[in-house]
Amino acid sequence: MTCYDRRDVGLLLLRLGTGGVLAAHGAQKLLGWFGGAGLEGTGQFMESVGYRPGKASATAAGLAEAGGGLLLALGLATPAAGAAAAGAMTGAAAVHAPSGFFAQGGGYEYAASLGLTAAGLAISGPGRLSVDHALGHAVDRGWMVPASFAVTAAGTALVIGARVRHLRRQKEGQQEALFEK
């Protein structure tokens, strides 16, 4: 029988907790489970906060969260799973950033916490209590960490950049009041 050290157990707990929360969060978007709005409702929300097209944005975010979360929980393809989840949470943080840091005020605290934990797991690796370890780390190679983050960073930058441009164009057509009432 193999003896696992505290690090392996700690990574397992982090993977199960973070991955489970992300998977549930994605299932809200994709399937309407756990009180979520499903693709239609989430797509409408995504449109309202500047992510266009809304339904495609909801699908991408839902897949990154649900898929990345499930893979993190399993400890499978950990670099790609963690990077994908971190990218999705960066997009969520961009929406909440104008409200400040703390979630209590609508801020990005929750998204940042999930994203940073997912990124940390992608970098640290899944530990020995994982599918990656059981498969001999076939989809958890060292080079996959920077590659996964590079691809995710580029995609996330493009998506958030398009959102910012859309919101600026939308604001250009509005005139602020000259005098307070």
Side-chain angles (χ1 to χ4, degrees), residues 50-51 94 158-170:
Y51 287 115
L158 288 172
V159 169
I160 292 174
R163 174 184 179 259
V164 168
R165 285 188 300 280
H166 171 74
L167 292 174
R168 281 190 187 141
R169 282 192 305 271
Q170 199 174 30

Side-chain angles (χ1 to χ4, degrees), residues 51-77:
Y51 287 115
R52 300 200 177 224
K55 194 169 183 179
S57 297
T59 302
L63 288 172
E65 291 169 6
L70 180 62
L71 291 173
L72 276 177
L74 293 171
L76 177 60

Side-chain angles (χ1 to χ4, degrees), residues 8-9 32 81-82 120-121 129 136-137 141 157 170-171:
D8 293 316
V9 175
L121 288 166
L129 297 169
H137 296 277
R141 303 281 186 210
Q170 199 174 30
K171 218 174 198 180

Side-chain angles (χ1 to χ4, degrees), residues 4 6 19 38 85-87 89 92 107 117 163 171 176:
Y4 299 104
R6 290 178 13 198
M89 291 298 100
T117 304
R163 174 184 179 259
K171 218 174 198 180
E176 293 183 30

Side-chain angles (χ1 to χ4, degrees), residues 58-149:
T59 302
L63 288 172
E65 291 169 6
L70 180 62
L71 291 173
L72 276 177
L74 293 171
L76 177 60
T78 304
M89 291 298 100
T90 301
V95 171
H96 295 283
S99 298
F101 178 71
F102 292 103
Q104 179 179 354
Y108 63 94
E109 172 187 19
Y110 180 67
S113 295
L114 285 174
L116 288 169
T117 304
L121 288 166
I123 293 167
S124 71
R128 291 185 294 171
L129 297 169
S130 66
V131 176
D132 275 337
H133 183 74
L135 296 176
H137 296 277
V139 287
D140 178 31
R141 303 281 186 210
W143 65 266
M144 293 175 181
V145 174
S148 295
F149 278 104

Side-chain angles (χ1 to χ4, degrees), residues 18-29:
T18 303
V21 168
L22 284 162
H25 204 59
Q28 287 180 308
K29 288 177 177 62

